[in-house]
Amino acid sequence: MQNLKTILSNVAAAGEVSRTEKLKMPPPEGLGGPDNPKLIKLVNEISALNLIEVSELSGMLKKKLNLPDASFMPMVGGMAQVSPTEEEEEEATPKTVQTAFKVKLMKFDDKQKVALIKEIKNLLEGMNLVQAKKFVESAPAIVKEDIPKDEAEKLREALTKVGADIVIE
């Protein structure tokens, strides 16, 4: 009983002292503040443990504090953080815009083969009539690639006029 009175008087005295002192704002988390030597000693001892000893310490603390053995999920804003589904991931990833296109000659009209060969020779630099003929006959073949969309559209329009079946990819 005497012990309890001593404790109560110490608490009351501490309360009077604290009322007269100005309240100090605690330092933000992560910044240094007044270090407790007892805690510093504990941190140093725990950080010196190896993985097996950390595992044993964890088990002992769970037993001592009567904590469940299940792992805890991190809580974010009061709700458990859940991994996104595939659909949500697809929505979250930004859609890429295609900037380079490929013009491909799929087939051609046999009646307009000569006109197509001449057009290919004129549109593609460094190609003579023989090379243009071999190119047209090797359809499906890529006419041009890594070009902007407007150029690909113009190329398709020009080749379609002379009987070519063109695909832009």
Side-chain angles (χ1 to χ4, degrees):
M1 196 66 172
Q2 182 65 18
N3 227 358
L4 183 58
K5 288 181 182 178
T6 308
I7 292 172
L8 288 175
S9 65
N10 288 342
V11 169
E16 289 174 17
V17 171
S18 66
R19 279 189 233 139
T20 59
E21 293 178 10
K22 286 187 175 180
L23 292 176
K24 293 182 182 177
M25 191 79 156
E29 212 171 291
L31 296 179
D35 294 330
N36 184 339
K38 184 177 177 181
L39 293 178
I40 292 173
K41 181 182 174 195
L42 251 173
V43 167
N44 289 335
E45 288 177 7
I46 290 173
S47 62
L49 297 177
N50 63 34
L51 289 177
I52 295 172
E53 292 169 332
V54 169
S55 176
E56 290 173 357
L57 174 65
S58 174
M60 291 172 70
L61 285 172
K62 284 180 184 177
K63 192 174 189 181
K64 177 80 174 179
L65 300 173
N66 198 21
L67 296 174
D69 223 12
S71 63
F72 295 100
M73 287 184 64
M75 300 297 274
V76 177
M79 300 207 39
Q81 186 174 4
V82 179
S83 62
T85 63
E86 287 181 25
E87 292 174 1
E88 290 171 343
E89 285 179 359
E90 287 176 10
E91 290 173 8
T93 56
K95 303 290 182 199
T96 56
V97 178
Q98 186 176 358
T99 57
F101 294 87
K102 186 184 331 180
V103 178
K104 192 171 185 180
L105 169 67
M106 298 304 289
K107 57 185 178 178
F108 58 92
D109 184 11
D110 286 332
K111 295 176 186 174
Q112 294 184 326
K113 181 177 177 181
V114 175
L116 178 60
I117 292 170
K118 288 181 183 178
E119 191 67 29
I120 290 288
K121 178 193 168 285
N122 293 333
L123 291 174
L124 302 180
E125 293 179 22
M127 195 173 279
N128 62 34
L129 277 175
V130 175
Q131 291 170 330
K133 179 181 183 276
K134 286 181 181 178
F135 177 80
V136 169
E137 290 173 346
S138 69
I142 296 172
V143 179
K144 268 192 176 179
E145 57 186 341
D146 294 332
I147 58 174
K149 186 172 184 163
D150 59 335
E151 187 180 336
E153 291 291 336
K154 288 177 185 176
L155 192 58
R156 177 175 65 175
E157 188 178 316
L159 294 174
T160 304
K161 286 182 182 176
V162 288
D165 185 18
I166 302 294
V167 173
I168 297 177
E169 299 174 338

